[in-house]
Amino acid sequence: MPESRRTIHIRESVHSIFYAPLLATVACGFLEVEGLSATISVVPKGQDGFQLLREGSIHVMQSAPSASLTRLEKGEGDVPMHIAAINDRDGFYVVGRKPVERFGWKTLEGASLIPSAFALQPTASLRFCLSEQGVSWDRIKIVQGPTSMEEAEELFRKGTGDYVHLQNPNAERLVNEGAGYYVASVGASLGPIAFSSVIATRRFLSQEPEMALAFMRAYYKSQQWVLASSPEQIASALQSQFPGTNLNVLTNSVRRYKALRNWLPNPIIPVRSFERAVDMWLNAQQITKRYPYEAVVDTSPAQKVMG
């Protein structure tokens, strides 16, 4: 490795094939072309990714606009900025025990559901979806206990719950095993929403502009590669980041996300998708007012690399 090559430290809030454009930035060598090496891993349990960014121990992180809105609501200053879109849809599915030709969201009323309770946003997004479908959350029998998608997946596998709420590859694993069937996509029902993105501090963007732009160039190329590549190519390229997960499971997971039109052709977070995220967070009563796009989104790095 050339001595001039610098290391950019990247963290995920959760590890999933849902974040393929960010993962491919590292796995497919796009950062190396820009003269950067990289570390990538999940933020350790109990640590605050926003604080790690502020301390400078990491440079960029996968997060969500909703997380920044919560920080603004609490009165925090200098909230890290969202510089690149990752997902323009909710990537969670509802998996049931039986195949269903026509699923109506009202079916969940009176049934038991294992939620993905590892973070607030997935549940808030599901509840937002259900509210738009006229479904009462209070009429669903919510299974308490799981604190991760893996725990929720295993509970369902062992016979708990009529339905489970999972991202991929977790949902696809159950389907591949014959232990469950897709019945609904939250993202398909909600439509475009700024669900996840890359964040960085203003200090990093101003003090390390060359590294920030090198990352952004690599990320933009990765986005375009993901859109142009087949599910088989993407799954194969990223398989090493999912040890123990069947290649067919990863391939089908990518195929579903592509069909959902989940990934965007450039890093700019669409304003209408951001406004839907604000709607979701208001519905979840996590904020009390509408915060403007410019309060948490910085499009200048993307604009510079897009020409």
Side-chain angles (χ1 to χ4, degrees):
M1 181 184 300
E3 291 184 5
S4 60
R5 180 163 293 175
R6 299 185 62 193
T7 301
I8 185 167
H9 300 296
I10 304 168
R11 295 294 178 267
E12 304 169 83
S13 296
V14 64
H15 188 55
S16 168
I17 198 72
F18 187 49
Y19 309 111
L22 181 59
L23 300 178
T25 306
V26 178
C28 297
F30 296 114
L31 284 169
E32 291 183 5
V33 171
E34 297 296 334
L36 295 174
S37 60
T39 67
I40 185 167
S41 61
V42 175
V43 173
K45 192 172 183 178
Q47 292 193 24
D48 181 352
F50 278 55
Q51 186 59 32
L52 295 176
L53 285 166
R54 288 171 177 146
E55 293 170 356
S57 56
I58 64 175
H59 299 103
V60 297
M61 186 179 86
Q62 168 262 315
S63 185
S66 61
S68 294
L69 295 174
T70 301
R71 305 278 180 146
L72 290 176
E73 183 74 14
K74 292 178 179 178
E76 289 189 21
D78 195 27
V79 173
M81 301 301 288
H82 294 258
I83 60 172
I86 302 177
N87 299 297
D88 197 43
R89 297 289 196 286
D90 179 312
F92 283 75
Y93 301 91
V94 175
V95 173
R97 296 199 176 278
K98 299 177 182 178
V100 178
E101 285 189 19
R102 291 185 179 180
F103 176 82
W105 287 102
K106 278 279 188 181
T107 304
L108 294 179
E109 294 187 348
S112 57
L113 170 71
I114 305 172
S116 288
F118 70 94
L120 181 59
Q121 176 169 280
T123 300
S125 183
L126 175 61
R127 294 187 68 161
F128 183 44
C129 173
L130 294 176
S131 71
E132 293 194 332
Q133 298 294 325
V135 178
S136 172
W137 180 263
D138 294 335
R139 293 180 181 176
I140 303 171
K141 300 172 185 176
I142 301 299
V143 177
Q144 304 295 333
T147 59
S148 69
M149 283 193 289
E150 287 70 29
E151 289 180 11
E153 177 188 346
E154 191 59 23
L155 269 179
F156 188 81
R157 185 180 282 111
K158 290 181 176 178
T160 298
D162 299 312
Y163 299 95
V164 63
H165 174 231
L166 293 171
Q167 208 172 36
N168 269 335
N170 302 75
E172 184 64 34
R173 263 198 297 264
L174 290 173
V175 173
N176 187 67
E177 294 169 12
Y181 298 85
Y182 287 107
V183 297
S185 161
V186 180
S189 291
L190 275 182
I193 188 168
F195 202 77
S196 56
S197 46
V198 179
I199 60 173
T201 63
R202 291 179 176 90
R203 184 175 64 180
F204 170 66
L205 296 175
S206 63
Q207 295 184 359
E208 299 279 2
E210 292 183 7
M211 178 184 280
L213 290 179
F215 168 80
M216 188 61 74
R217 285 192 296 269
Y219 182 76
Y220 183 26
K221 292 173 185 175
S222 180
Q223 284 185 299
Q224 295 175 316
W225 177 82
V226 166
L227 288 185
S229 300
S230 69
E232 290 81 6
Q233 289 171 318
I234 296 168
S236 179
L238 300 182
Q239 187 180 22
S240 63
Q241 299 191 25
F242 295 88
T245 300
N246 183 287
L247 181 58
N248 188 55
V249 166
L250 285 179
T251 301
N252 287 336
S253 297
V254 172
R255 182 173 290 112
R256 284 188 171 274
Y257 284 141
K258 272 183 164 279
L260 190 60
R261 290 178 297 165
N262 174 65
W263 296 311
L264 293 168
N266 66 65
I268 294 179
I269 298 170
V271 174
R272 67 171 184 170
S273 298
F274 172 81
E275 294 299 339
R276 283 286 278 170
V278 174
D279 291 337
M280 173 190 70
W281 227 227
L282 285 166
N283 183 75
Q285 299 182 342
Q286 293 300 309
I287 53 176
T288 56
K289 64 180 181 180
R290 301 195 75 87
Y291 290 90
Y293 181 84
E294 296 79 11
V296 296
V297 179
D298 183 354
T299 62
S300 59
Q303 291 172 337
K304 287 175 182 176
V305 302
M306 289 169 60

